[in-house]
Amino acid sequence: MQWLDLGMKLPITDPTWIFFLVLVIILFAPILLNRLRIPHIVGMILAGVMIGEYGFNILERDSSFELFGKVGLYYIMFLAGLEMNMEDFKSIRTKAIVLGLLAFVIPMTLGFFSNVFILQFGFITSVLLASMYASHTLISYPIVIRYGISRQRSVSIAVGGTAVTDTLTLLVLAVISGMFKEEYSDLFWVWLVAKVVGLSALIIFFFPRIGRWFFRKYDDHVVQFIFVLAMVFLGAGLMELIGMEGILGAFLAGLVLNRLIPHVSPLMHHLEFVGNALFIPYFLIGVGMLIDVRILLVHGGALKVALVMTVMAMISKWIACWATQKIYRMNSLERELMFGLSNAQAAATLAAVLVGYNIILPDGQRLLNDDVLNGTVVLILFTCIISSFVTERAARRVAVKVDCEEMNAEQLEEEKFLIPVSNPETIENLMGMALVMKNPKRKGGFIALNVINDNATSQSDTMNGKRQLERAAMIATSAGVTLNMVTRFDLNIASGIVHTLKEVNASEVVIGLHRKATLVDSFLGNMTESLLKGTHKQVMIVKCLMPVNTLRRIVVAVPPKAEFEVGFFKWLERIARMGSQLGCKIHFFAHLDTQRYLEGYMNKNHAGVRSEFSELSTWDDLLLLTKQVNYDHLLVIVSARRGYISYDPSFDRLPHQITRYFSNNSLLVLFPDQYGDPQEMISYADLSQQQESPTYEQVGHWFYKWFKKK
């Protein structure tokens, strides 16, 4: 068939035009269907039906659709594991296992009896077909990502249940397919389970260690992106080598790399962007090209099989979600969201039907005949459409509910991070630290500041400052966050920061730790000291020896009476967010009275974050932390300005202790919000230099030692 007399025939086989048409579909399908309130995932599948062999035959389902389709399928499972909140998952893992078992047992039971008594199939055919009802694919998972509810409890339960259900389904598929192989034996399925468990243990042990080493050694985002994709396909390929489907390996890779890729990091943004823009739509279009709607009108047997398969699959999944809801007393909206995510059939269902279709029985018939093949395609179409509609409706309602709750719970103060940039070596770590501390729901609230001294107004200083601001903006943009760039001329850097703080009404400052230039130079530096005297807002001084996402633990030293400072819950919220994003355990060392406030806040607001509490009676015990802080830990020291409630004279020895005992550790020195305006006219003690203890303190220590000897 000639097309517009341009020498082009249908179906189009030229790679350039194939890719162009696919991109046009990816571009316009969401735009057109959003006006009709139809999920764009449904649009991708329907577009695949129209352009495929069974539609207008515009494109042929060539090897590119098979390649990108497989990548897209792995990507869906990988993102599902990567997006899962592992801290919350630990508290709901029992619910996820229950949902997974119910979503496997109920469809297997109902499906087996319907296949035997209604469709009149044999035993093995009925078991394999029933396992297809049990499996499901997270086709509608991109919808919950788009609405920002991927870390809701019901979503985590559905994702965890998917892993359980699909694993059991793939085991059934592997055993049945192995029965028709020459090497099949009575211990085949036992050996298969042993291989799956062994390989999973290897992935869980080695992948995080390899990933942490790689991220520490290479900080280029492109290199990190390629590395992550390589790990995904390595996990998928290893699973296929032992006879399982690669989707299980991709999901497992997402789980084990979860803690190395924070939800708000630039790398996470890149992974989601590429997957949702290209790989996943390609997979959905390829699924649509398999669907032949005409069989419903032409072949009565196929229509009957398709009707039974679709009804049994949907009813059994709804019963499983309803039972889980009743067992754990969840609300109807959570049940609806679980049903929407667990209803779609695609990946494992396609794998099972193709395997069964290619198995030839001794009598010359196929294990799964043409009616089952065509019925499976219709099953995929209807379940994907219904899954998308249900998930879209539930996700919208959940997102509105969550936003209203968070709006009521938010503090009146607007969250704004002011990040002075001057040293190109610290910009990456400063931005990374601020990103893991910010509210995940906020897309703004970042101000990068470059202060230029009035006495040094050379063109080179201005250009260098502009380059640093642009680099900070690139990091923020790659993480999906907006950042305002401010260049300021002032008498000195500290004054410029203080004035900008007031002008933009920033809530806190994140700066890098000063490097001592001379022996008489102070630990914090004159600029930081002036900044602390010039503002009562929270100041965080950062020294990172490795990328933020590779930290394994956060150790927090809290002084006595810190709970009486006005900024106590503010800095505690920032540390808790950091622990949640990085998946780190937070170990608090504090006085027993302060511990009660810390435990109460963490249990109420961040119950999913792993936390531990130990006593730190006096600040002199800070040296005990040397045994608790390793090279890949972050030491957070909560200090205070002189003259305030939680200030302790032993703070004067902090610079010496840090320099001597914690020089090889990543460090965060935190000065919280405190009441009152800065009083620059009062003579403050030097916070950065090691000072001699006051006379009364020396005399007290002398008498204590003397009586102790006696």
Side-chain angles (χ1 to χ4, degrees), residues 53 188 248 333-334 466 472 476 528 653:
E53 177 184 356
F188 174 81
L248 183 59
L333 193 57
E334 291 179 302
K466 184 178 180 180
T528 304
R653 295 192 295 273

Side-chain angles (χ1 to χ4, degrees), residues 104-117 119-135 165 168-177 179-180 309 348-349 352-353 356 359 367-368 372:
F104 176 77
V105 173
I106 295 175
M108 283 289 293
T109 304
L110 295 180
F112 177 78
F113 286 106
S114 64
N115 296 336
V116 172
F117 295 106
L119 299 180
Q120 304 295 320
F121 287 143
F123 178 81
I124 297 179
T125 302
S126 298
V127 171
L128 181 58
L129 192 55
S131 71
M132 292 164 54
Y133 305 160
S135 68
T165 303
L168 296 174
T169 301
L170 294 174
L171 284 173
V172 172
L173 174 61
V175 170
I176 291 179
S177 62
M179 291 173 62
F180 296 91
M309 292 176 65
T349 306
V353 72
I359 293 177
L367 182 63
L368 298 180
V372 175

Side-chain angles (χ1 to χ4, degrees), residues 28 125 224 256 261 375 395 429 440 469-470 473 501 506 538 647 669 704:
F28 287 105
T125 302
Q224 290 181 350
V256 298
I261 307 176
N429 291 328
L469 291 175
E470 290 175 348
L501 260 173
Q538 180 165 287
Y647 179 80
V669 182
Y704 173 77

Side-chain angles (χ1 to χ4, degrees), residues 11 95 210 219 296 312 371 403 440 528 564 606 635 639 664:
K95 300 180 180 67
I210 296 173
D219 57 358
L296 298 175
M312 285 295 105
D371 289 342
D403 289 341
T528 304
F564 298 112
H606 298 278
L635 174 61
S639 185
N664 295 324

Side-chain angles (χ1 to χ4, degrees), residues 242-261:
I242 64 172
M244 296 292 289
E245 285 295 314
I247 56 175
L248 183 59
F251 177 75
L252 200 57
L255 286 180
V256 298
L257 295 177
N258 185 291
R259 291 180 178 174
L260 297 178
I261 307 176

Side-chain angles (χ1 to χ4, degrees), residues 276-317:
N276 293 324
L278 185 60
F279 293 143
I280 295 176
Y282 229 112
F283 164 69
L284 297 173
I285 294 173
V287 170
M289 296 176 72
L290 291 172
I291 298 173
D292 184 5
V293 184
R294 293 174 297 182
I295 62 171
L296 298 175
L297 306 175
V298 177
H299 203 290
L303 178 60
K304 178 182 178 181
V305 172
L307 182 62
V308 172
M309 292 176 65
T310 304
V311 171
M312 285 295 105
M314 294 182 59
I315 289 178
S316 59
K317 290 296 183 183

Side-chain angles (χ1 to χ4, degrees), residues 45-299:
I45 297 175
L46 294 178
V49 174
M50 295 175 62
I51 66 172
E53 177 184 356
Y54 306 110
F56 295 105
N57 198 27
I58 298 175
L59 296 181
E60 183 180 357
R61 196 176 190 277
D62 59 5
S63 58
S64 67
F65 284 97
E66 295 180 5
L67 173 63
F68 280 96
K70 205 159 194 177
V71 174
L73 178 58
Y74 290 164
Y75 226 97
I76 290 176
M77 298 303 296
F78 170 68
L79 286 180
L82 200 61
E83 291 274 359
M84 187 178 292
N85 190 335
M86 296 304 296
E87 305 306 325
D88 290 343
F89 180 72
K90 290 180 179 179
S91 62
I92 55 93
R93 59 175 176 260
T94 303
K95 300 180 180 67
I97 294 173
V98 169
L99 175 62
L101 292 176
L102 290 175
F104 176 77
V105 173
I106 295 175
M108 283 289 293
T109 304
L110 295 180
F112 177 78
F113 286 106
S114 64
N115 296 336
V116 172
F117 295 106
I118 299 177
L119 299 180
Q120 304 295 320
F121 287 143
F123 178 81
I124 297 179
T125 302
S126 298
V127 171
L128 181 58
L129 192 55
S131 71
M132 292 164 54
Y133 305 160
S135 68
H136 59 261
T137 304
L138 296 172
I139 288 287
S140 56
Y141 190 77
I143 295 176
V144 300
I145 294 178
R146 191 172 75 249
Y147 280 99
I149 60 171
S150 59
R151 297 200 166 195
Q152 288 294 306
R153 178 179 69 165
S154 54
V155 176
S156 297
I157 293 173
V159 172
T162 300
V164 175
T165 303
D166 284 355
T167 300
L168 296 174
T169 301
L170 294 174
L171 284 173
V172 172
L173 174 61
V175 170
I176 291 179
S177 62
M179 291 173 62
F180 296 91
K181 296 180 181 179
E182 295 181 358
E183 64 270 17
Y184 178 76
S185 64
D186 294 336
L187 297 178
F188 174 81
W189 65 274
V190 178
W191 175 235
L192 178 64
V193 171
K195 289 191 293 184
V196 171
V197 173
L199 179 57
S200 300
L202 289 176
I203 292 176
I204 293 172
F205 181 80
F206 284 108
F207 275 32
R209 287 163 174 77
I210 296 173
R212 185 170 284 110
W213 170 83
F214 190 90
F215 288 147
R216 286 174 183 167
K217 192 172 183 63
Y218 303 98
D219 57 358
D220 183 81
H221 295 311
V222 176
V223 175
Q224 290 181 350
F225 179 83
I226 300 300
F227 168 77
V228 171
L229 283 188
M231 298 298 285
V232 172
F233 278 86
L234 176 60
L238 290 175
M239 279 294 174
E240 289 185 342
L241 283 178
I242 64 172
M244 296 292 289
E245 285 295 314
I247 56 175
L248 183 59
F251 177 75
L252 200 57
L255 286 180
V256 298
L257 295 177
N258 185 291
R259 291 180 178 174
L260 297 178
I261 307 176
H263 187 64
V264 295
S265 65
L267 180 58
M268 185 68 179
H269 184 72
H270 294 158
L271 290 168
E272 289 182 344
F273 173 79
V274 174
N276 293 324
L278 185 60
F279 293 143
I280 295 176
Y282 229 112
F283 164 69
L284 297 173
I285 294 173
V287 170
M289 296 176 72
L290 291 172
I291 298 173
D292 184 5
V293 184
R294 293 174 297 182
I295 62 171
L296 298 175
L297 306 175
V298 177
H299 203 290

Side-chain angles (χ1 to χ4, degrees), residues 484-553:
N484 296 327
M485 297 184 293
V486 178
T487 299
R488 185 183 186 93
F489 291 88
D490 214 309
L491 293 175
N492 56 66
I493 296 177
S495 176
I497 297 174
V498 171
H499 292 157
T500 306
L501 260 173
K502 297 177 181 178
E503 291 172 1
V504 302
N505 193 28
S507 60
E508 52 225 291
V509 185
V510 182
I511 61 175
L513 181 63
H514 165 74
R515 291 186 177 181
K516 295 183 66 172
T518 62
L519 291 176
V520 296
D521 198 359
S522 62
F523 175 74
L524 297 179
N526 294 328
M527 186 275 291
T528 304
E529 298 164 14
S530 300
L531 174 62
L532 293 172
K533 295 175 184 179
T535 180
H536 63 281
K537 292 293 184 70
Q538 180 165 287
V539 178
M540 292 177 281
I541 306 166
V542 178
K543 181 190 75 171
C544 277
L545 301 182
M546 61 184 62
V548 176
N549 63 310
T550 62
L551 296 170
R552 291 181 55 247
R553 179 177 288 227

